[in-house]
Amino acid sequence: MDQVKITFLPDEVEVEVAPGTSVLGAAGQAGILIQAPCGGVATCGRCVVRVEEGAWEPNDAEKRLLPADELREGFRLACQARLSQDVVVFIPETSRIAKYQILVQGVESQVEVEPVVRKVFLRLPRPSLQDLRSDLARVIAGLGGPPTRFASDPKMLADAARRIRASDFQVTAVLSGSEIIEIESGDTSSACYGVAADIGTTTLVVYLVRLDTGEQVGLAAGPNPQARHGDDVISRIQFAHTDPDGLGTLQALVRDALNRLIEQARRGAGVERNDIWEFVAVGNSCMAHLFLGVSPDGLGMAPYLPAFSSAQRAQAAWLGLSINPRGRVYYLPGIAGFVGADTVGVILSTEIYRDGRLRAAVDIGTNGEVVVARQGALVAASGAAGPAFEGGQISSGMPAAPGAIDSVRINGGVKFTTIADAPARGICGSGLVDALAELRRIGVVTPNGRLLDRAAVPGLDESLAARLLSEDGEASFELVGKADGAEEPVRLTAQDVRQLQLAKAAIAAALSVLLARFDAGPADVEELLLAGAFGNYIRPESGLAIGLFPSIPRERIRPVGNAAGAGAKMALLSAPLREKAEALAGSVEYVELADQPEFYERFADNMTLAPAAEGAGR
Amino acid sequence: MDVVEQLALAIINGKRDDAKSLTEKALADETEPKRILEEGLIYGMGVVGERFKCNEYYVPELLVAARAMHAALDVLRPVIVKEGIQPVGKAVIGTVRGDLHDIGKNLVAMMLEGAGFEVIDLGVDVSPDKFIETAKEKNADVVCMSALLTTTMTGMKDTIDAMVAAGVRAKHKVMIGGAPITQEYANQIKADGYAADAASAVDTAKQLLGKA
């Protein structure tokens, strides 16, 4: 059957695809990323495109999610259309996956550099009739161990004889633990690099470091392109399960994106690909499976079992990573269920277990992990807050990209800031929490989460009251309207408030359940660490005001940046810390919240939008 | 305001202890149990449902109202059974196999009870066979299924297919709900009904039984 031609505007990119391909799929083939948080099952309505030529009849889902006037103008959902004839499609900015605000700095602790992968320069004694040792035995003797201590393989030895003689018996051995993974001519010991990667559901970050000195020489970050198959891990697990090439597709997407970031980082630092000898990664359980090409099927259904949770090792060549093909890959261990290596990375880098105090760490990313520690004991759970804190399922919600409102104050009027100071086109997590806290403060949202109408707030300043709207029975507060210069108004609807209530209740309840394991309550937390991008940008006062955080003094709340990535770096640079990570992972008690009978009660109790100390949380 | 009206108010306001004592008082005053049920409990929960629909009430308010309703129902139930008062309908409800989410499902169960249904809650991770067996055993009018994950919602299709295979599809109405569920999906798997939330679930259930 003939191919179908699709032209994308304003990119002016044309591709030919098989008939029956969706616009979303065709865009992916053209290298254009369209948002599809729900994974293309027609529940989110984000993948809106305008068909300029070749419009098709809207289906039921399109009629449900798009208003009639938009349908008339040719707007359709990219995930729904199955192409059968040539079309020209315009993709609005608001439907694209934009460059994100990416958090890359972690809180660095001092690490003694003694990596697993390292180079040793050896001046080998020349062979003679009195010294008939083989090349390999000579190298091993040079490394100082008994012959049995070092492992090697024939592939590594393939070119060894030539290399050793080419530099007159002065060679550099590349070691991974006690395995000799390469022998290089001459002294290349200062050309030894490693990559630490944080493979997030939404964002990828790679750090390029020198393995001899520990110095970071490069850094690159970008969105995780698996997002076209769903914003959340469940959608991607579903895709891997139902599409015959699903797992392979997802693995290729993340590998290619990581390779691009590695290239970017190394070119910026003038580092050769073959001088990068190890790739150490953290990420949640689902990300680990997809990266390593392991089916995540077990994670999709109760009781949510990963295929593995221990640390995994591989050779770079097996995974097609853009480092030395004989380089090694190490994926930190996870804990259980969805709580994976990224949480272990957070525990490792924050040393939350170390001083015995009751401390908690929350990573409000796509998944929402919570860890509590006291006296060296650790418990963890996945709060499954859902996408609300990343702007998902919020009417004007968007990820932290240019144009996202990221802070809000109501003082006279509505004052706000946006990322990159770009014109406001939506609101992201930190902005949402601020907005909610402010609306609570001025009495427009009740502690029970109800958005009041004008009549119910008689004392409110007129300019603010005028922002309380009601359209088609849906109440909303307009943060930025056309009068303020916005192209599209940014509003917080009554339903948005409810979504945020659910999300914050999930996190607060998860924390509450874990604290109960230590016979403690929210007010007993001596330090609360906020990991992840959201943790860094959120204003703690706002989190406290809506009861997202336990009611503890503001000074006890500390953002720790990309603590997961910092943990990956530590494991890359220090063999003892890598062992520590493995020991920690094994010692954390995992709590399956769905199994806790009291989770339900705590969830309901924590829905109140008020500081937890006011009896709202438990 | 008489005792039954006070009971309705206690339920609307989630006052569990008042709901219990008012029900006891109403019975002691020899009020007709049917009236207590219909004008007290069902009416009260009806108001709760309406307030939920217009966003005045949400999950927490539903929960406390339902707890109060249960407290009243616990007192009233033996009397209802003795008098032979029939429920509006019988519903079997559960979260499908492989899925452990139950908060939404619990809310639907509570609202159905509050509307006068007898509800048999099978809990979570319910297999198609369990749905079918229980529906048959209890002579259920409607089977309600909930799923929160795209990975588990196929359990709904599996259950319907199993019902067809067992020749019992026509014996029970099937309605579904949950975050990834849509009307289109319900049409696709030939469910009889779909509801987006606990309050409209009651309307849908009644419609399916011809008791709208």
Side-chain angles (χ1 to χ4, degrees):
Chain A
M1 208 176 168
D2 281 342
Q3 297 267 307
V4 173
K5 193 169 74 181
I6 176 166
T7 309
F8 292 106
L9 299 177
D11 313 65
E12 298 197 357
V13 169
E14 214 180 77
V15 283
E16 294 202 340
V17 296
T21 308
S22 68
V23 171
L24 184 62
Q29 286 184 38
I32 297 172
L33 302 181
I34 298 181
Q35 286 188 38
C38 72
V41 297
T43 48
C44 74
R46 293 295 175 122
C47 62
V48 183
V49 297
R50 193 175 68 221
V51 185
E52 307 286 322
E53 278 172 37
W56 53 89
E57 267 301 294
N59 69 6
D60 288 339
E62 287 169 314
K63 288 187 197 159
R64 172 171 49 83
L65 288 167
L66 298 174
D69 58 338
E70 283 185 24
L71 288 171
R72 274 195 296 276
E73 284 176 40
F75 285 97
R76 299 286 186 271
L77 295 178
C79 68
Q80 292 299 294
R82 303 285 147 194
L83 296 167
S84 58
Q85 58 178 32
D86 293 353
V87 294
V88 175
V89 171
F90 179 88
I91 307 175
E93 258 319 292
T94 43
S95 299
R96 292 175 191 258
I97 294 179
K99 284 207 111 16
Y100 288 57
Q101 179 118 312
I102 281 163
L103 179 70
V104 294
Q105 294 311 317
V107 170
E108 315 281 326
S109 3
Q110 290 291 77
V111 169
E112 264 194 48
V113 180
E114 31 177 326
V116 171
V117 171
R118 62 218 184 276
K119 285 191 175 182
V120 183
F121 173 58
L122 301 167
R123 286 181 220 276
L124 300 174
R126 280 190 198 70
S128 65
L129 288 169
Q130 286 74 40
D131 176 4
L132 297 169
R133 289 174 297 178
S134 68
D135 294 343
L136 181 60
R138 203 169 297 271
V139 168
I140 289 175
L143 288 170
T148 49
R149 191 169 163 248
F150 291 93
S152 64
D153 66 81
K155 273 186 103 101
M156 180 278 291
L157 290 172
D159 205 30
R162 186 193 65 78
R163 292 180 189 186
I164 289 172
R165 284 157 186 77
S167 50
D168 201 24
F169 286 82
Q170 299 193 25
V171 296
T172 305
V174 186
L175 299 169
S176 170
S178 60
E179 198 191 336
I180 305 171
I181 60 179
E182 188 74 293
I183 294 174
E184 296 182 321
S185 292
D187 184 357
T188 60
S189 54
S190 61
C192 188
Y193 298 85
V195 169
D198 176 9
I199 306 180
T201 308
T202 307
T203 307
L204 307 171
V205 186
V206 307
Y207 305 88
L208 182 63
V209 293
R210 286 182 62 153
L211 292 177
D212 53 345
T213 63
E215 183 198 343
Q216 183 175 308
V217 301
L219 160 61
N224 183 336
Q226 291 172 340
R228 85 179 61 141
H229 298 293
D231 261 6
D232 66 293
V233 296
I234 295 293
S235 310
R236 296 184 203 174
I237 292 169
Q238 175 68 354
F239 175 72
H241 181 71
T242 50
D243 188 296
D245 299 314
L247 180 57
T249 302
L250 290 170
Q251 183 185 28
L253 281 169
V254 71
R255 175 203 58 222
D256 292 344
L258 285 166
N259 282 345
R260 280 193 294 274
L261 293 176
I262 293 172
E263 289 291 292
Q264 195 184 316
R266 74 167 187 80
R267 280 188 212 277
V271 171
E272 292 297 320
R273 169 185 171 159
N274 283 341
D275 289 335
I276 305 176
W277 284 97
E278 196 177 29
F279 179 95
V280 169
V282 292
N284 64 51
S285 304
C286 177
M287 290 302 104
H289 284 60
L290 299 178
F291 171 70
L292 294 167
V294 175
S295 166
D297 263 8
L299 285 170
M301 297 219 132
Y304 313 116
L305 300 180
F308 63 89
S309 56
S310 51
Q312 295 298 308
R313 293 166 181 78
Q315 288 202 29
W318 303 347
L319 298 174
L321 283 175
S322 284
I323 65 174
N324 191 306
R326 291 194 52 80
R328 294 293 190 254
V329 177
Y330 176 84
Y331 205 106
L332 266 73
I335 293 167
F338 287 99
V339 181
D342 49 352
T343 305
V344 173
V346 169
I347 295 172
L348 186 68
S349 70
T350 60
E351 297 188 312
I352 193 179
Y353 52 87
R354 197 177 273 273
D355 69 13
R357 291 182 294 158
L358 180 67
R359 297 158 84 191
V362 182
D363 189 337
I364 313 177
T366 311
N367 305 299
E369 287 91 13
V370 184
V371 179
V372 176
R374 188 167 72 183
Q375 306 294 346
L378 289 155
V379 292
S382 175
F389 287 127
E390 284 174 324
Q393 285 175 16
I394 301 294
S395 57
S396 296
M398 61 180 284
I405 293 175
D406 62 351
S407 83
V408 176
R409 288 293 177 283
I410 297 181
N411 187 355
V414 174
K415 310 248 177 13
F416 60 90
T417 60
T418 61
I419 292 180
D421 285 324
R425 57 190 183 98
I427 181 166
C428 67
S430 53
L432 285 165
V433 175
D434 268 359
L436 194 51
E438 288 292 271
L439 291 179
R440 274 283 297 113
R441 187 177 58 75
I442 65 171
V444 154
V445 168
T446 68
N448 281 351
R450 198 161 146 233
L451 182 63
L452 299 172
D453 57 28
R454 290 187 64 150
V457 231
L460 192 64
D461 190 82
E462 176 54 34
S463 68
L464 293 173
R467 294 174 180 274
L468 284 168
L469 310 169
S470 178
E471 256 168 49
D472 299 320
E474 169 90 281
S476 65
F477 182 92
E478 190 162 272
L479 290 162
V480 184
K482 298 225 165 128
D484 305 300
E487 254 188 52
E488 287 301 322
V490 177
R491 297 181 184 155
L492 201 68
T493 66
Q495 191 54 24
D496 291 340
V497 174
R498 296 306 190 184
Q499 290 295 322
L500 287 164
Q501 242 185 319
L502 288 175
K504 88 99 185 168
I507 300 275
L511 185 55
S512 166
V513 167
L514 294 185
L515 288 170
R517 287 297 237 259
F518 292 104
D519 288 320
D524 300 321
V525 173
E526 296 179 74
E527 193 176 34
L528 177 67
L529 306 174
L530 306 180
F534 176 72
N536 220 54
Y537 299 116
I538 187 181
R539 209 170 134 251
E541 288 82 358
S542 294
L544 285 165
I546 64 169
L548 170 62
F549 300 144
S551 284
I552 55 180
R554 160 79 185 81
E555 318 77 69
R556 293 197 207 162
I557 300 178
R558 185 159 70 88
V560 291
N562 189 359
K569 266 197 280 181
M570 287 167 78
L572 173 66
L573 289 172
S574 162
L577 286 176
R578 189 177 297 194
E579 272 177 46
K580 180 76 187 166
E582 294 189 16
L584 284 169
S587 74
V588 179
E589 185 198 338
Y590 174 70
V591 176
E592 175 55 75
L593 292 175
D595 212 35
Q596 306 303 306
E598 83 266 29
F599 179 70
Y600 183 29
E601 293 270 324
R602 289 175 196 267
F603 180 76
D605 285 340
N606 276 291
M607 286 198 72
T608 313
L609 293 168
E614 284 166 22
R618 191 166 61 79
Chain B
M1 201 185 294
D2 77 355
V3 180
V4 173
E5 286 169 330
Q6 286 176 49
L7 171 60
L9 211 57
I11 287 173
I12 291 166
N13 292 327
K15 303 277 183 232
R16 179 176 15 191
D17 296 333
D18 289 350
K20 177 166 182 280
S21 56
L22 285 164
T23 309
E24 287 163 345
K25 181 165 197 306
L27 286 171
D29 289 347
E30 295 191 350
T31 316
E32 247 196 76
K34 195 157 188 282
R35 184 172 165 243
I36 304 176
L37 179 65
E38 285 177 7
E39 292 176 36
L41 276 72
I42 296 180
Y43 174 75
M45 286 304 281
V47 171
V48 170
E50 286 307 308
R51 290 189 186 181
F52 180 87
K53 282 185 205 169
C54 67
N55 290 323
E56 201 181 313
Y57 273 17
Y58 195 50
V59 173
E61 287 84 2
L62 245 60
L63 283 173
V64 298
R67 275 189 275 201
M69 187 261 303
H70 272 149
L73 194 55
D74 283 344
V75 174
L76 199 55
R77 194 179 285 112
V79 182
I80 291 178
V81 168
K82 197 155 141 244
E83 301 249 325
I85 297 175
Q86 291 303 310
V88 162
K90 274 200 205 166
V92 166
I93 190 169
T95 298
V96 299
R97 178 175 48 197
D99 201 323
L100 302 179
H101 295 90
D102 67 351
I103 293 179
K105 183 265 297 172
N106 291 347
L107 285 174
V108 172
M110 286 180 204
M111 294 306 286
L112 286 174
E113 264 186 326
F117 279 79
E118 182 188 328
V119 175
I120 300 103
D121 190 339
L122 293 173
V124 297
D125 196 17
V126 181
S127 69
D129 286 341
K130 191 86 207 280
F131 275 117
I132 295 174
E133 263 168 47
T134 313
K136 179 170 170 200
E137 190 191 313
K138 301 284 179 178
N139 222 352
D141 298 297
V142 59
V143 171
C144 308
M145 295 188 282
S146 167
L148 206 78
L149 307 176
T150 46
T151 42
T152 56
M153 59 198 257
T154 43
M156 295 176 169
K157 178 174 192 302
D158 294 340
T159 303
I160 290 178
D161 290 347
M163 285 172 81
V164 170
V168 298
R169 179 65 183 91
K171 296 211 166 103
H172 320 282
K173 297 289 186 194
V174 176
M175 56 185 264
I176 61 177
I181 311 299
T182 56
Q183 183 63 59
E184 287 84 42
Y185 184 69
N187 297 345
Q188 197 185 315
I189 66 171
K190 300 202 181 25
D192 298 301
Y194 156 74
D197 58 64
S200 47
V202 171
D203 298 334
T204 306
K206 285 188 190 167
Q207 272 166 33
L208 290 179
L209 268 58
K211 298 190 180 173

